[in-house]
Amino acid sequence: MRAKSVIVVGAGLAGLGAARALKLAGVDVTVLEARDRPGGRVWTQGGVDLGAHWIHCTDGNPITAICRELGIATTFVGGDSSYTGGWEDLKLYRNGLALTDERKDASIQLIDDLHDAMDSLRRRILLDGGADISLQDAAKNVMAEYDAELRRDIPWHQELVARDDAGAGAANISLLHCDDGYEVYGPGDSLIAGGCGALTDRLAADLPITYNAPVTHVMHGPHGVTVIARGVMHRADHCIITVPLGVLKSGSIDFDPPLPAEKRKAVADVGVGSLTKIICTFDTAFWPRSQYVFASFPTSDDVGPTTVLNLWKTHQRPILVMLYGGAAGGGVETMDAVSVRALAMSALHNVFGDAVPEPTSIRTTGWTQDPWSRGAYMYLPPGVSGDAVNVLASPIDNRLFFAGEHTHRIHWATMQSGYHSGLRAASEITGDVSLLPNRRFTETRRWREQLKRAERLFNAAHKSITPEELEARVDMMLRSPVFETIPAGDLRVLAAIFARRDLAAGDILCEAGEKADSLFAVMSGHLDVLHDGVTIARKHAGDVAGEYGMFLPHRSATLRAHGYTVVLELDYAKFRKFLMVFPEAMMVLFGQAVAQNASRVN
């Protein structure tokens, strides 16, 4: 039957999106909001966002679309899904000094290697059916003996993701599921002109919202839904619950009958993180005004704010915003004003040195302490998969529906997840799928981060090789039956990431039976292929060896230099990155392997 009336509990982005869609569909809507304002965890004061701050991944994002529909301006600030503002534009600071570009490149190479190793560990665990572990334990599992100075960077890189993206520490986030199936839109973040509150205010403008009406009881049955807010009874055909997950965890809403056991378990299992801002206002901007994000590298094991945001760049206001997530964020919320000031000044000295003037005002946010939010946004702890998000989103008896950032399986912890989930709930009630935004089949976040790591690898490789050496490698590969059909532009990228090895006559390149970890291309000279000590073949300039080791556990033959020989070596991890970024090359190589195998069979 067609829904005639719906109660929406909560006037955050999920509730506003659902209510607006239902109203436009001709449904009688009542919105009950505990606060005295709309927006929920979107809250802007004086143009400064105290809660949600960015449209993450701008192009194709439903938040971008609704802003355009409502005529709300946005400002593009960049970013690459891994680093706020984008790694290339990020400046790293420690002890009041900016790190050199070389030191910065070394730091990113370190963490890229670490994340590649963690991805491999994730795949092994999934293949073996092993138990889930935390991001922190995964890092310890694969961490090599890096230079002691570089090892100090690892907590910062991990916490940037674990605290800022998930609102929890790396010890609390699942390795297997932290971003499982999480999709992203077009790259780069944007800000909403005037703050994100400009959007929620517009969405709320024409909606029937009752403020200061916290819901305490929700009863449902065959004849509809009854909701009690501040002792007042409201009845409707259906109800959409959009309160934050932290509020559901608190048990402040009594459901009659109780929520199903599976949903109660999901409420208990999925984590709620903390992200706290310290907002410092000054008389004037004493820092580099054109730099958007300053990375505050730790001076000890205690990671302070991962980043300091420059609101002069985006708002033309002398304000710096520091982000503290996880336990650190929760701790800031309980500090007194003197302790917060001391903490803020210590962090600012770490970035800008001793010449930091006293702020004219310091403000902290307190989403964990707020009874109507009880946290920032959801995350998946070890042992909890995205299936729990589906359970949180599932309707009950076609009467109760659920929305909010914690109910969106392919996005969470963002404005778009909240807004999109509200449209989904409205669509479920009305049966009108046109209420849903168009699905954008782009990358998953994990895939995009792998692509960004590959991009950084390729750029670093091109900087480390002379143009003459690169051209010589490309010329050799163009004469190779393995590489000659790869598009020339792709081939130049591939040629740069090989490492050169010079072998004297008789040098062993690899032994039969040892673990295979790289392929080889003969640049000049010759390689003998030995089986049981007998030469069975010889590789010449342009020939490739070891490519099948990507799919076999051990070397099938020994390779030995026949005279002075120059070999180019490429480990399989880098080769996979190349094939991931250049799939046309992958298809060419795959076709050649099939053809070679067919010729042997025939």
Side-chain angles (χ1 to χ4, degrees):
M1 294 180 61
R2 184 177 182 275
K4 294 181 179 179
S5 58
V6 176
I7 296 170
V8 177
V9 180
L13 269 171
L16 295 173
R20 182 174 183 267
L22 290 169
K23 182 181 177 183
L24 291 174
V27 178
D28 182 22
V29 179
T30 299
V31 182
L32 302 175
E33 168 56 46
R35 308 176 192 274
D36 61 359
R37 59 171 180 82
R41 285 163 287 176
V42 173
W43 188 18
T44 305
Q45 286 198 326
V48 178
D49 286 312
L50 306 182
H53 188 98
W54 292 283
I55 302 174
H56 288 295
C57 304
T58 301
D59 185 40
N61 192 309
I63 296 295
T64 305
I66 189 61
C67 284
R68 288 172 179 166
E69 179 183 332
L70 298 176
I72 299 173
T74 60
T75 301
F76 186 77
V77 294
D80 58 13
S81 299
S82 300
Y83 297 94
T84 304
W87 175 257
E88 290 184 351
D89 295 326
L90 195 61
K91 294 292 185 182
L92 314 184
Y93 290 83
R94 179 185 279 144
N95 291 324
L97 299 173
L99 276 62
T100 64
D101 289 341
E102 292 75 16
R103 178 65 175 78
K104 173 181 170 180
D105 290 342
S107 182
I108 195 61
Q109 183 62 60
L110 162 75
I111 204 64
D112 280 355
D113 290 346
L114 188 69
H115 285 165
D116 284 341
M118 290 170 66
D119 279 347
S120 296
L121 175 62
R122 178 192 290 114
R123 289 191 291 269
R124 292 200 302 271
I125 292 175
L126 289 172
L127 287 173
D128 296 341
D132 196 4
I133 59 176
S134 71
L135 291 180
Q136 184 180 80
D137 287 341
K140 291 178 180 178
N141 186 298
V142 302
M143 195 180 298
E145 290 301 318
Y146 295 110
D147 174 85
E149 171 66 18
L150 283 176
R151 286 173 64 89
R152 297 170 62 195
D153 298 357
I154 292 176
W156 181 87
H157 286 282
Q158 278 216 298
E159 293 307 295
L160 183 71
V161 175
R163 295 189 342 190
D164 294 5
D165 277 2
N172 301 313
I173 300 177
S174 162
L175 169 69
L176 299 186
H177 307 295
C178 62
D179 55 4
D180 184 28
Y182 194 109
E183 295 182 8
V184 290
Y185 299 109
D189 301 334
S190 292
L191 302 178
I192 294 177
C196 296
L199 172 60
T200 53
D201 286 347
R202 287 288 299 278
L203 290 174
D206 298 321
L207 294 176
I209 303 175
T210 301
Y211 294 107
N212 299 306
V215 169
T216 53
H217 295 80
V218 176
M219 296 158 281
H220 67 96
H223 303 294
V225 178
T226 300
V227 175
I228 299 177
R230 283 210 183 277
V232 178
M233 200 171 289
H234 304 263
R235 292 185 175 88
D237 296 327
H238 307 280
C239 178
I240 304 177
I241 307 295
T242 75
V243 298
L245 179 59
V247 174
L248 290 178
K249 282 178 175 289
S250 73
S252 61
I253 298 177
D254 180 53
F255 291 91
D256 182 15
L259 297 177
E262 186 181 33
K263 191 177 285 285
R264 295 200 304 270
K265 184 177 187 305
V267 169
D269 287 349
V270 176
V272 177
S274 171
L275 185 65
T276 303
K277 297 178 180 180
I278 300 181
I279 303 166
C280 298
T281 302
F282 297 85
D283 285 326
T284 186
F286 63 87
W287 53 87
R289 297 187 176 191
S290 62
Q291 179 63 35
Y292 179 42
V293 183
F294 304 93
S296 178
F297 265 38
T299 56
S300 66
D301 292 336
D302 180 25
V303 179
T306 49
T307 54
V308 179
L309 305 179
N310 168 23
L311 295 199
W312 183 269
K313 172 80 171 179
T314 54
H315 294 62
Q316 294 295 295
R317 299 186 62 186
I319 297 174
L320 295 173
V321 178
M322 290 171 278
L323 304 176
Y324 289 82
V332 169
E333 290 188 18
T334 62
M335 285 182 179
D336 59 44
V338 173
S339 299
V340 168
R341 180 174 288 267
L343 180 67
M345 292 303 290
S346 174
L348 292 176
H349 286 309
N350 184 52
V351 175
F352 302 111
D354 295 333
V356 177
E358 284 291 322
T360 56
S361 69
I362 297 179
R363 176 173 184 173
T364 61
T365 58
W367 297 106
T368 303
Q369 302 297 315
D370 186 328
W372 313 128
S373 59
R374 297 183 182 270
Y377 34 68
M378 66 150 278
Y379 66 89
L380 294 174
V384 180
S385 76
D387 292 340
V389 181
N390 287 336
V391 174
L392 292 173
S394 60
I396 299 175
D397 298 333
N398 199 35
R399 292 296 178 188
L400 292 188
F401 296 80
F402 295 83
E405 53 87 16
H406 57 284
T407 70
H408 203 285
R409 179 62 182 84
I410 59 172
H411 305 291
W412 55 81
T414 60
M415 289 195 293
Q416 64 259 28
S417 55
Y419 179 69
H420 194 163
S421 71
L423 299 183
R424 183 204 65 229
S427 174
E428 289 170 339
I429 290 174
T430 62
D432 184 0
V433 296
S434 70
L435 298 179
L436 295 170
N438 290 330
R439 181 80 177 272
R440 290 290 296 264
F441 291 90
T442 55
E443 307 104 336
T444 63
R445 181 164 61 182
R446 184 180 301 168
W447 177 264
R448 178 170 294 171
E449 289 176 358
Q450 289 174 339
L451 290 179
K452 296 304 294 185
R453 295 203 294 270
E455 179 182 292
R456 290 191 285 263
L457 168 68
F458 300 155
N459 285 331
H462 273 271
K463 293 177 182 177
S464 65
I465 186 173
T466 66
E468 294 77 16
E469 173 72 10
L470 179 61
E471 292 306 319
R473 293 183 183 188
V474 171
D475 288 343
M476 178 274 291
M477 289 181 170
L478 288 173
R479 297 193 302 271
S480 166
V482 175
F483 299 119
E484 63 181 356
T485 54
I486 295 177
D490 300 357
L491 195 59
R492 295 180 70 82
V493 175
L494 177 61
I497 60 177
F498 276 88
R500 174 175 170 144
R501 292 185 61 175
D502 290 60
L503 305 175
D507 284 353
I508 300 296
L509 184 59
C510 64
E511 294 271 11
E514 70 183 18
K515 182 180 179 182
D517 57 7
S518 55
L519 62 86
F520 309 102
V522 181
M523 186 78 174
S524 63
H526 310 279
L527 285 175
D528 288 335
V529 182
L530 288 78
H531 185 70
D532 292 333
V534 178
T535 300
I536 59 173
R538 181 164 293 165
K539 297 285 186 180
H540 308 284
D543 287 341
V544 174
E547 68 271 27
Y548 293 115
M550 290 183 66
F551 311 102
L552 301 172
H554 301 100
R555 298 289 188 193
S556 59
T558 296
L559 297 179
R560 183 181 64 196
H562 184 87
Y564 173 69
T565 302
V566 177
V567 172
L568 301 180
E569 182 177 7
L570 183 63
D571 68 72
Y572 294 144
K574 291 179 180 178
F575 191 41
R576 288 190 185 97
K577 285 185 177 183
F578 169 77
L579 295 178
M580 177 178 64
V581 176
F582 299 99
E584 185 177 352
M586 178 172 61
M587 295 306 296
V588 168
L589 295 175
F590 177 71
Q592 290 176 344
V594 171
Q596 289 175 9
N597 186 62
S599 66
R600 293 191 185 101
V601 173
N602 294 331

mmCIF file of all heavy atoms in Angstrom, residues 6 32 56 103 107 110 125 143 156 178 183 232 253 288 303 386 414 464 470 472 479 502 508 527 536:
data_model
loop_
_atom_site.group_PDB
_atom_site.id
_atom_site.type_symbol
_atom_site.label_atom_id
_atom_site.label_comp_id
_atom_site.label_asym_id
_atom_site.label_seq_id
_atom_site.Cartn_x
_atom_site.Cartn_y
_atom_site.Cartn_z
ATOM 1 N N VAL A 6 4.834 9.466 7.313
ATOM 2 C CA VAL A 6 6.115 8.951 7.787
ATOM 3 C C VAL A 6 6.658 9.889 8.856
ATOM 4 O O VAL A 6 6.620 11.124 8.686
ATOM 5 C CB VAL A 6 7.147 8.833 6.638
ATOM 6 C CG1 VAL A 6 8.498 8.393 7.182
ATOM 7 C CG2 VAL A 6 6.664 7.875 5.569
ATOM 8 N N LEU A 32 11.256 14.798 13.755
ATOM 9 C CA LEU A 32 11.478 15.044 15.180
ATOM 10 C C LEU A 32 12.979 15.130 15.428
ATOM 11 O O LEU A 32 13.725 14.186 15.139
ATOM 12 C CB LEU A 32 10.870 13.918 16.018
ATOM 13 C CG LEU A 32 9.366 13.678 15.823
ATOM 14 C CD1 LEU A 32 8.918 12.450 16.618
ATOM 15 C CD2 LEU A 32 8.566 14.911 16.236
ATOM 16 N N HIS A 56 34.003 14.702 0.362
ATOM 17 C CA HIS A 56 35.107 13.819 -0.014
ATOM 18 C C HIS A 56 34.846 13.211 -1.382
ATOM 19 O O HIS A 56 33.840 12.545 -1.591
ATOM 20 C CB HIS A 56 35.285 12.713 1.025
ATOM 21 C CG HIS A 56 35.870 13.193 2.315
ATOM 22 N ND1 HIS A 56 37.143 13.686 2.401
ATOM 23 C CD2 HIS A 56 35.348 13.264 3.568
ATOM 24 C CE1 HIS A 56 37.397 14.034 3.655
ATOM 25 N NE2 HIS A 56 36.326 13.792 4.379
ATOM 26 N N ARG A 103 63.457 14.115 2.135
ATOM 27 C CA ARG A 103 62.991 13.420 3.349
ATOM 28 C C ARG A 103 61.516 13.058 3.226
ATOM 29 O O ARG A 103 61.075 11.990 3.663
ATOM 30 C CB ARG A 103 63.225 14.340 4.552
ATOM 31 C CG ARG A 103 62.743 13.783 5.872
ATOM 32 C CD ARG A 103 63.531 12.540 6.289
ATOM 33 N NE ARG A 103 63.107 12.119 7.617
ATOM 34 C CZ ARG A 103 61.982 11.456 7.879
ATOM 35 N NH1 ARG A 103 61.178 11.140 6.872
ATOM 36 N NH2 ARG A 103 61.669 11.117 9.104
ATOM 37 N N SER A 107 59.811 9.309 3.210
ATOM 38 C CA SER A 107 58.733 8.962 4.131
ATOM 39 C C SER A 107 57.583 8.298 3.396
ATOM 40 O O SER A 107 57.030 7.287 3.852
ATOM 41 C CB SER A 107 58.249 10.220 4.860
ATOM 42 O OG SER A 107 57.232 9.907 5.794
ATOM 43 N N LEU A 110 58.455 4.814 2.300
ATOM 44 C CA LEU A 110 58.376 3.908 3.447
ATOM 45 C C LEU A 110 56.948 3.423 3.665
ATOM 46 O O LEU A 110 56.688 2.221 3.767
ATOM 47 C CB LEU A 110 58.876 4.635 4.704
ATOM 48 C CG LEU A 110 58.481 4.036 6.053
ATOM 49 C CD1 LEU A 110 59.300 2.788 6.344
ATOM 50 C CD2 LEU A 110 58.662 5.059 7.174
ATOM 51 N N ILE A 125 45.786 -13.782 4.480
ATOM 52 C CA ILE A 125 44.854 -14.152 5.542
ATOM 53 C C ILE A 125 43.519 -14.601 4.946
ATOM 54 O O ILE A 125 42.933 -15.602 5.375
ATOM 55 C CB ILE A 125 44.650 -12.983 6.519
ATOM 56 C CG1 ILE A 125 45.941 -12.714 7.310
ATOM 57 C CG2 ILE A 125 43.507 -13.267 7.495
ATOM 58 C CD1 ILE A 125 45.866 -11.499 8.212
ATOM 59 N N MET A 143 56.479 -5.080 9.234
ATOM 60 C CA MET A 143 57.419 -3.969 9.307
ATOM 61 C C MET A 143 58.867 -4.456 9.204
ATOM 62 O O MET A 143 59.304 -5.310 9.963
ATOM 63 C CB MET A 143 57.218 -3.208 10.619
ATOM 64 C CG MET A 143 57.896 -1.839 10.637
ATOM 65 S SD MET A 143 57.608 -1.004 12.223
ATOM 66 C CE MET A 143 55.824 -0.841 12.204
ATOM 67 N N TRP A 156 52.492 8.348 12.425
ATOM 68 C CA TRP A 156 51.770 9.476 11.828
ATOM 69 C C TRP A 156 50.960 9.021 10.625
ATOM 70 O O TRP A 156 49.779 9.324 10.499
ATOM 71 C CB TRP A 156 52.738 10.585 11.419
ATOM 72 C CG TRP A 156 52.031 11.769 10.830
ATOM 73 C CD1 TRP A 156 51.511 12.825 11.507
ATOM 74 C CD2 TRP A 156 51.719 11.995 9.442
ATOM 75 N NE1 TRP A 156 50.904 13.706 10.633
ATOM 76 C CE2 TRP A 156 51.022 13.224 9.366
ATOM 77 C CE3 TRP A 156 51.975 11.285 8.280
ATOM 78 C CZ2 TRP A 156 50.577 13.739 8.156
ATOM 79 C CZ3 TRP A 156 51.522 11.795 7.068
ATOM 80 C CH2 TRP A 156 50.834 13.018 7.016
ATOM 81 N N CYS A 178 38.406 -2.936 6.867
ATOM 82 C CA CYS A 178 38.344 -1.503 7.158
ATOM 83 C C CYS A 178 37.820 -0.685 5.986
ATOM 84 O O CYS A 178 37.159 0.336 6.180
ATOM 85 C CB CYS A 178 39.709 -0.978 7.599
ATOM 86 S SG CYS A 178 41.003 -1.148 6.345
ATOM 87 N N GLU A 183 33.440 2.519 -1.805
ATOM 88 C CA GLU A 183 33.612 3.151 -3.105
ATOM 89 C C GLU A 183 33.891 4.644 -2.963
ATOM 90 O O GLU A 183 33.473 5.277 -1.994
ATOM 91 C CB GLU A 183 32.364 2.942 -3.974
ATOM 92 C CG GLU A 183 32.110 1.485 -4.326
ATOM 93 C CD GLU A 183 30.896 1.300 -5.214
ATOM 94 O OE1 GLU A 183 30.334 2.316 -5.686
ATOM 95 O OE2 GLU A 183 30.500 0.139 -5.437
ATOM 96 N N VAL A 232 5.102 13.614 24.039
ATOM 97 C CA VAL A 232 4.088 13.828 22.999
ATOM 98 C C VAL A 232 4.077 12.616 22.065
ATOM 99 O O VAL A 232 5.123 12.146 21.615
ATOM 100 C CB VAL A 232 4.357 15.116 22.200
ATOM 101 C CG1 VAL A 232 3.325 15.297 21.103
ATOM 102 C CG2 VAL A 232 4.378 16.318 23.142
ATOM 103 N N ILE A 253 16.758 5.171 23.240
ATOM 104 C CA ILE A 253 15.466 4.976 22.588
ATOM 105 C C ILE A 253 14.983 3.557 22.887
ATOM 106 O O ILE A 253 15.696 2.575 22.629
ATOM 107 C CB ILE A 253 15.570 5.190 21.069
ATOM 108 C CG1 ILE A 253 16.012 6.627 20.750
ATOM 109 C CG2 ILE A 253 14.231 4.905 20.391
ATOM 110 C CD1 ILE A 253 16.195 6.892 19.271
ATOM 111 N N PRO A 288 52.524 30.461 6.584
ATOM 112 C CA PRO A 288 52.451 30.571 5.116
ATOM 113 C C PRO A 288 51.006 30.486 4.646
ATOM 114 O O PRO A 288 50.365 29.449 4.740
ATOM 115 C CB PRO A 288 53.281 29.367 4.621
ATOM 116 C CG PRO A 288 54.202 29.056 5.752
ATOM 117 C CD PRO A 288 53.439 29.376 7.007
ATOM 118 N N VAL A 303 51.439 10.569 19.168
ATOM 119 C CA VAL A 303 51.091 11.330 17.971
ATOM 120 C C VAL A 303 50.114 12.431 18.345
ATOM 121 O O VAL A 303 49.048 12.173 18.884
ATOM 122 C CB VAL A 303 50.469 10.421 16.894
ATOM 123 C CG1 VAL A 303 50.097 11.230 15.664
ATOM 124 C CG2 VAL A 303 51.436 9.309 16.521
ATOM 125 N N GLY A 386 31.646 -5.633 6.651
ATOM 126 C CA GLY A 386 30.635 -4.720 6.144
ATOM 127 C C GLY A 386 29.237 -5.313 6.133
ATOM 128 O O GLY A 386 28.256 -4.578 5.972
ATOM 129 N N THR A 414 30.784 9.711 6.091
ATOM 130 C CA THR A 414 30.862 10.898 5.252
ATOM 131 C C THR A 414 29.487 11.539 5.141
ATOM 132 O O THR A 414 28.467 10.931 5.463
ATOM 133 C CB THR A 414 31.343 10.552 3.826
ATOM 134 O OG1 THR A 414 30.412 9.631 3.243
ATOM 135 C CG2 THR A 414 32.733 9.951 3.838
ATOM 136 N N SER A 464 64.883 9.036 -11.041
ATOM 137 C CA SER A 464 66.136 8.390 -10.649
ATOM 138 C C SER A 464 66.923 7.814 -11.818
ATOM 139 O O SER A 464 67.979 7.215 -11.620
ATOM 140 C CB SER A 464 65.840 7.273 -9.649
ATOM 141 O OG SER A 464 65.078 6.240 -10.260
ATOM 142 N N LEU A 470 67.076 5.550 -19.960
ATOM 143 C CA LEU A 470 65.682 5.209 -20.238
ATOM 144 C C LEU A 470 65.492 4.864 -21.709
ATOM 145 O O LEU A 470 64.826 3.870 -22.051
ATOM 146 C CB LEU A 470 64.772 6.373 -19.842
ATOM 147 C CG LEU A 470 63.275 6.167 -20.102
ATOM 148 C CD1 LEU A 470 62.741 4.974 -19.315
ATOM 149 C CD2 LEU A 470 62.487 7.431 -19.730
ATOM 150 N N ALA A 472 67.700 3.763 -23.814
ATOM 151 C CA ALA A 472 68.357 2.486 -24.115
ATOM 152 C C ALA A 472 67.473 1.309 -23.696
ATOM 153 O O ALA A 472 67.376 0.301 -24.412
ATOM 154 C CB ALA A 472 69.706 2.419 -23.407
ATOM 155 N N ARG A 479 62.592 -4.289 -29.120
ATOM 156 C CA ARG A 479 63.096 -5.429 -29.898
ATOM 157 C C ARG A 479 62.745 -6.760 -29.246
ATOM 158 O O ARG A 479 63.089 -7.820 -29.769
ATOM 159 C CB ARG A 479 64.614 -5.321 -30.056
ATOM 160 C CG ARG A 479 65.084 -4.105 -30.840
ATOM 161 C CD ARG A 479 66.553 -4.224 -31.220
ATOM 162 N NE ARG A 479 67.418 -4.383 -30.064
ATOM 163 C CZ ARG A 479 67.948 -3.365 -29.391
ATOM 164 N NH1 ARG A 479 67.663 -2.116 -29.748
ATOM 165 N NH2 ARG A 479 68.741 -3.587 -28.357
ATOM 166 N N ASP A 502 74.546 -5.689 -13.002
ATOM 167 C CA ASP A 502 75.686 -6.031 -13.847
ATOM 168 C C ASP A 502 76.284 -7.335 -13.343
ATOM 169 O O ASP A 502 76.666 -7.443 -12.158
ATOM 170 C CB ASP A 502 76.726 -4.919 -13.813
ATOM 171 C CG ASP A 502 76.261 -3.662 -14.526
ATOM 172 O OD1 ASP A 502 75.224 -3.090 -14.113
ATOM 173 O OD2 ASP A 502 76.907 -3.258 -15.491
ATOM 174 N N ILE A 508 75.679 -16.209 -10.752
ATOM 175 C CA ILE A 508 74.354 -16.818 -10.701
ATOM 176 C C ILE A 508 73.316 -15.730 -10.406
ATOM 177 O O ILE A 508 73.419 -15.027 -9.399
ATOM 178 C CB ILE A 508 74.282 -17.925 -9.636
ATOM 179 C CG1 ILE A 508 75.298 -19.024 -9.929
ATOM 180 C CG2 ILE A 508 72.868 -18.490 -9.543
ATOM 181 C CD1 ILE A 508 75.043 -19.766 -11.219
ATOM 182 N N LEU A 527 72.343 -15.009 -20.868
ATOM 183 C CA LEU A 527 72.090 -15.796 -19.658
ATOM 184 C C LEU A 527 71.896 -17.253 -20.054
ATOM 185 O O LEU A 527 71.098 -17.554 -20.948
ATOM 186 C CB LEU A 527 70.827 -15.309 -18.933
ATOM 187 C CG LEU A 527 70.882 -14.009 -18.149
ATOM 188 C CD1 LEU A 527 69.484 -13.678 -17.616
ATOM 189 C CD2 LEU A 527 71.881 -14.093 -16.997
ATOM 190 N N ILE A 536 70.242 -25.770 -20.837
ATOM 191 C CA ILE A 536 69.172 -26.217 -21.731
ATOM 192 C C ILE A 536 68.700 -25.110 -22.669
ATOM 193 O O ILE A 536 67.962 -25.368 -23.618
ATOM 194 C CB ILE A 536 67.971 -26.755 -20.934
ATOM 195 C CG1 ILE A 536 67.416 -25.658 -20.010
ATOM 196 C CG2 ILE A 536 68.344 -27.995 -20.134
ATOM 197 C CD1 ILE A 536 66.118 -26.046 -19.313
#
